[in-house]
Amino acid sequence: MKVTKESSSPVEVILNVEMDATDEDPFIDRSYRRTVGRLNIPGFRKGKAPRSIVESYVGRIALVQEALDFMIPETLNQALQDEEIQAFVEPRVEVTELEPVSFKATVPLEPTVDLGDFYSVRLEKEPVEISDEEVDQVLERIRRDMAPWEPVSRPVQFGDLLNLNVEGEMDGEALVSDQEIDYIPETTNVLPFPGFAQYLEGMEEGEHKEFTVTVPEDYPRTEYAGKDVAFVVDVLSIKEKALADLDDEFAKGVGEGFDDLEALRSHVLERVTSEAEAQSNYAFQEQSMNSLLESATITASDLLLEREIDNMQEERERMLRNQRLDMDTYLAYVGKTEEEFHEELRPLAADRLNRMLVVRRLAQEEELEVSTEEIQEEIETMVAGATDENQAAMRRTLYSESMTESIRSSLMNQKVMNRLMEIVQGLEPGAAAAAEEQAEADEPESESQPEAAAEAEAPQAEQENPTGQQDQSESEESNEGA
């Protein structure tokens, strides 16, 4: 085996590997043993033909190609050992010749990360202050969420719950056809198309209306952008929220433990403060990380970035499969080619890669480690909330090699981020972790929080609808749950 270095840098080396017949022979023999059992060669029992006969029957190149799956990884591994090269991630391999087998391997090495003068950076964390107005807003959300829908005899207003028949056509083809759907017109509601909700304001129960909505030019689905949609709408019913008075009786109806409005208000203040503290901590972590990234100098193989882009694309594809979509459908919806989507991921992948590398380097500099005991403690904490019959199954899963490594990585990231915040505040090691433990100890038990209050305080996430139309079941569920 002949190994030559085509090029070399501190973060990447390219190896050219040329094999001879002696190198190939053990692999060809393994390929023969895998192949012979699949062949029916005249004059021989299945699996009993000698190698020379099999080689002449299928051709040497066929056996070589069969052997590549194990020949290249094992040969490359031997070459790396002989050259005393440690790959940072799996090399990229390109077969250049089959007779004899030759290949080129691009081998990413350990990236170089210099944190610069980061240890001199000082940042100040903003204190969290919750105003009476913020508490009032949460109480009002709870009040609205608990209020029932009741019929009204007046024109439609934004925020009403409507029951509609809707027909929509574009270029003479039916695009929307919904009967007796629930719909809440809001200025922020862009379904089925932006501008639709505004045409409903002022309509009466039983009213029939025809109107045209022009789809914006920047609409994600390019096949609809700039076109007109002709709608026919019938308003079947109009309902509004019947709001209760915000008093002691209302507080008692929210859940057990609230004897008066002041008790509910106190609980809301605690929860809002806790959430604001969590958001403040996250914002400060991001500020600290950005300062670290600005200070650091990172040099890495281009192959690391390409691998990170591939990882992000695979993650997006898995997410789409969970939503019963494929990448082609998604790309058509957002109006991008595969190449455009790939390039769009590049800056995001670069940021994620750089974050991983500086976190790794800071952990090395601070000599941070995650012990087996810490992993076990984390697993037992996760298991503690499960029923007795599920705990054994959970332990089997969590103690698997992949899961323990994932937990180790998560715990290490927490340690690094805590130390990062200590450094920028000029604190001694352990101060951030102690503060976090104290905050968790001071936080009220989530089980004591009534469901209505919890839902009202939870942040609202926007859901992407690739069809561009409102799902009736989602609308009914959200309105009935309100």
Side-chain angles (χ1 to χ4, degrees):
M1 179 174 66
K2 181 182 177 182
V3 180
T4 58
K5 293 181 181 179
E6 179 180 315
S7 65
S8 180
S9 78
V11 295
E12 183 179 277
V13 62
I14 297 177
L15 300 180
N16 285 308
V17 180
E18 300 177 31
M19 304 178 67
D20 56 32
T22 303
D23 300 321
E24 293 176 351
D25 191 67
F27 298 106
I28 299 298
D29 195 55
R30 287 163 61 182
S31 177
Y32 151 71
R33 292 196 298 270
R34 290 173 58 173
T35 304
V36 67
R38 302 196 300 262
L39 298 177
N40 291 311
I41 300 178
F44 296 92
R45 285 184 297 161
K46 191 171 185 178
K48 297 301 182 180
R51 172 176 160 177
S52 59
I53 298 297
V54 172
E55 190 167 332
S56 63
Y57 188 79
V58 301
R60 178 178 172 82
I61 291 299
L63 292 180
V64 170
Q65 290 175 328
E66 175 80 19
L68 289 179
D69 288 343
F70 46 86
M71 181 191 297
I72 289 181
E74 294 179 24
T75 303
L76 176 57
N77 185 57
Q78 185 62 52
L80 293 175
Q81 290 182 22
D82 294 344
E83 297 291 327
E84 297 183 347
I85 296 173
Q86 180 65 48
F88 187 70
V89 297
E90 185 179 349
R92 179 175 60 200
V93 176
E94 175 189 353
V95 177
T96 55
E97 295 288 344
L98 286 177
E99 290 188 294
V101 171
S102 299
F103 60 89
K104 180 171 73 173
T106 303
V107 186
L109 306 178
E110 175 86 22
T112 61
V113 181
D114 182 353
L115 298 183
D117 61 350
F118 173 70
Y119 281 85
S120 65
V121 173
R122 289 294 177 268
L123 301 174
E124 186 174 341
K125 185 179 177 183
E126 292 292 332
V128 171
E129 296 181 358
I130 303 300
S131 67
D132 291 341
E133 289 74 14
E134 291 175 275
V135 176
D136 290 341
Q137 290 173 3
V138 175
L139 288 172
E140 183 61 25
R141 287 206 302 271
I142 297 173
R143 180 184 179 217
R144 291 193 62 82
D145 288 346
M146 294 186 63
W149 291 104
E150 293 187 354
V152 292
S153 299
R154 58 160 176 76
V156 172
Q157 298 177 2
F158 285 127
D160 287 344
L161 174 62
L162 311 181
N163 193 256
L164 308 172
N165 289 339
V166 182
E167 302 289 339
E169 290 188 356
M170 177 183 287
D171 296 333
E173 294 185 5
L175 195 62
V176 180
S177 181
D178 292 314
Q179 302 297 309
E180 299 182 1
I181 63 162
D182 287 335
Y183 184 86
I184 299 178
E186 299 278 8
T187 55
T188 55
N189 193 340
V190 296
L191 299 177
F193 288 99
F196 174 84
Q198 280 78 350
Y199 282 93
L200 305 182
E201 187 179 20
M203 290 185 68
E204 303 273 359
E205 182 176 321
E207 183 177 347
H208 174 90
K209 188 173 185 179
E210 299 181 10
F211 55 88
T212 299
V213 173
T214 300
V215 181
E217 294 289 347
D218 60 352
Y219 193 70
R221 298 191 64 171
T222 54
E223 68 269 30
Y224 297 154
K227 293 187 177 182
D228 291 338
V229 186
F231 283 104
V232 177
V233 175
D234 292 294
V235 177
L236 306 181
S237 68
I238 306 171
K239 295 179 181 179
E240 69 174 3
K241 288 279 190 177
L243 298 175
D245 293 333
L246 205 58
D247 54 19
D248 292 345
E249 287 304 312
F250 169 79
K252 293 175 183 178
V254 172
E256 294 183 7
F258 301 137
D259 296 330
D260 52 34
L261 184 60
E262 189 56 38
L264 176 59
R265 187 180 187 85
S266 176
H267 166 80
V268 168
L269 176 60
E270 285 181 352
R271 300 303 302 180
V272 172
T273 301
S274 176
E275 292 171 6
E277 287 283 2
Q279 293 173 0
S280 176
N281 285 337
Y282 176 76
F284 190 65
Q285 284 183 3
E286 283 294 291
Q287 186 182 8
S288 303
M289 175 57 71
N290 289 334
S291 295
L292 178 58
L293 290 168
E294 290 173 6
S295 174
T297 302
I298 303 170
T299 307
S301 167
D302 292 340
L303 186 55
L304 294 185
L305 177 57
E306 294 304 319
R307 291 280 169 79
E308 194 63 34
I309 294 173
D310 291 342
N311 289 339
M312 294 185 70
Q313 184 156 344
E314 289 173 5
E315 290 169 8
R316 181 66 61 87
E317 289 173 352
R318 283 196 298 272
M319 180 192 72
L320 291 172
R321 285 197 296 270
N322 291 337
Q323 297 176 357
R324 298 182 180 180
L325 293 172
D326 56 36
M327 181 57 74
D328 290 340
T329 302
Y330 172 76
L331 291 176
Y333 172 65
V334 298
K336 297 183 186 299
T337 65
E338 187 172 351
E339 292 75 18
E340 289 172 336
F341 176 70
H342 189 83
E343 285 305 305
E344 189 178 77
L345 292 178
R346 186 171 296 277
L348 302 175
D351 180 68
R352 195 163 84 169
L353 175 62
N354 289 339
R355 284 170 179 256
M356 183 272 289
L357 292 175
V358 295
V359 164
R360 186 171 180 271
R361 181 59 185 160
L362 186 58
Q364 293 170 345
E365 292 216 358
E366 291 294 320
E367 299 181 348
L368 299 176
E369 295 181 351
V370 175
S371 68
T372 302
E373 291 73 20
E374 288 174 308
I375 296 174
Q376 292 174 343
E377 182 180 345
E378 181 69 13
I379 290 175
E380 292 307 315
T381 300
M382 297 167 71
V383 168
T387 59
D388 292 341
E389 57 268 24
N390 290 335
Q391 287 189 358
M394 285 187 66
R395 285 193 179 93
R396 284 194 298 272
T397 300
L398 295 173
Y399 276 107
S400 67
E401 184 177 353
S402 61
M403 285 303 299
T404 54
E405 187 55 38
S406 176
I407 293 169
R408 181 189 300 276
S409 177
S410 177
L411 292 175
M412 175 58 78
N413 192 65
Q414 291 176 24
K415 285 192 173 187
V416 173
M417 294 310 297
N418 283 338
R419 182 66 191 121
L420 177 62
M421 291 189 292
E422 291 168 350
I423 291 171
V424 297
Q425 295 178 90
L427 301 176
E428 292 298 318
E436 184 176 312
E437 290 177 3
Q438 184 60 48
E440 291 177 355
D442 293 341
E443 186 175 340
E445 293 293 332
S446 59
E447 287 80 8
S448 65
Q449 177 174 303
E451 182 177 352
E455 291 177 353
E457 294 162 33
Q460 300 297 313
E462 294 184 0
Q463 298 295 323
E464 187 178 63
N465 185 340
T467 66
Q469 301 178 21
Q470 185 176 33
D471 185 279
Q472 180 178 356
S473 62
E474 291 180 358
S475 173
E476 291 174 350
E477 181 180 348
S478 62
N479 290 319
E480 290 172 1

